[in-house]
Amino acid sequence: MRYAFFIALLFLAGCGTAPSRIDNACAIFAQRDGLFNNWARDAKRASREYGVPVPVLMATIYTESGFRAYARPKRTYLLGFIPWKRPSSAYGYAQALDGTWSAYQRETGRWAASRTDFGDAIKFVGWYHNKSNRRNGIALTDTYRLYLAYYAGHAGYERGSFTSAIRAAAQRSAGIADRYERQLRSCGY
C-alpha cells in the first residue's frame, strides 16, 4: 500500500514539470508518452479536430509558456519592490485569458477543461487558431500571423496593433514551428 502511494506521487510529480528538452519536438513527445499523459496523442487529436498542424500548435505553446503548466505573467511591483498585480489573467500552457477560456468552454461544452492540462490547452490553441482562420482569413499553416492574432486577439489583429516585441515573438514562433515540423518528420510522429 505504501509503495502504491509513492508510485502515484512520483507519477503526479512529473505531470506539472516542463519537459527538459523543449527545443526538440520528438524529445518532448518521448518524455510525455504515458498511458494517461500522452502529448503526441493530444496534439494529433487537436490537429484533427481543428485543422491546425501539430508543429503550429506546439510552437504556440512553446512561445507562450515554454511548456510550463502553471505559467503566469510576471507580477508588477508597487513602488518598485512591493509585489502587485499581474498584467493579465493569462494562465497555463496556452496562457489563455480568463474571458477567452470561458468562451472556449462555453462554445465547446468542455466545462471541465483546465488550462494546466496539456490536452485541454492544446485543444484551446487549435480552437483559437481555427477561429483566427474563419474570422481573419489566416491560413492554418501561417504560424506567424496565427500567433499575431493569438497574442493581440482577433480585433487587435484586424487593427494591426503589433509592437515590435509581438512581431519578434511571432517570428520566433514561426521558426520553432518550422524546426518542429522537420523534427517530427524525422522521428515519425
Side-chain angles (χ1 to χ4, degrees):
M1 179 75 171
R2 191 170 26 181
Y3 295 113
F5 172 75
F6 287 115
I7 291 171
L9 189 61
L10 284 173
F11 173 76
L12 291 174
C15 293
T17 59
S20 61
R21 296 180 50 211
I22 63 173
D23 288 331
N24 187 310
C26 299
I28 292 169
F29 287 158
Q31 290 174 73
R32 297 295 191 268
D33 69 345
L35 181 61
F36 299 108
N37 188 25
N38 189 308
W39 287 15
R41 182 180 58 221
D42 291 337
K44 287 175 187 174
R45 283 181 183 160
S47 179
R48 277 193 306 272
E49 184 173 351
Y50 294 107
V52 182
V54 169
V56 175
L57 296 169
M58 295 291 286
T60 302
I61 291 178
Y62 177 105
T63 306
E64 286 295 292
S65 70
F67 297 101
R68 293 183 329 268
Y70 301 100
R72 289 185 184 271
K74 291 181 180 179
R75 288 188 179 278
T76 57
Y77 287 87
L78 185 64
L79 303 174
F81 66 95
I82 301 170
W84 199 241
K85 299 176 184 178
R86 297 183 192 277
S88 78
S89 62
Y91 181 61
Y93 287 110
Q95 289 294 281
L97 300 172
D98 290 348
T100 312
W101 187 261
S102 293
Y104 165 72
Q105 289 176 308
R106 194 172 43 257
E107 287 184 26
T108 63
R110 292 183 172 124
W111 296 106
S114 167
R115 291 182 274 184
T116 60
D117 178 276
F118 180 81
D120 292 337
I122 201 160
K123 284 178 188 162
F124 169 83
V125 173
W127 169 82
Y128 198 90
H129 285 339
N130 186 276
K131 286 181 82 69
S132 297
N133 169 260
R134 288 185 282 121
R135 178 170 172 171
N136 303 109
I138 304 169
L140 294 174
T141 55
D142 188 344
T143 310
Y144 178 80
R145 286 180 180 74
L146 287 171
Y147 186 81
L148 289 175
Y150 190 85
Y151 190 91
H154 296 123
Y157 181 84
E158 289 165 356
R159 286 190 306 271
S161 334
F162 316 121
T163 65
S164 59
I166 294 171
R167 289 182 189 278
Q171 196 64 46
R172 191 169 54 254
S173 189
I176 292 164
D178 289 343
R179 184 174 66 239
Y180 279 178
E181 182 178 5
R182 287 190 307 275
Q183 291 166 345
L184 291 172
R185 228 181 299 123
S186 73
C187 66
Y189 272 104

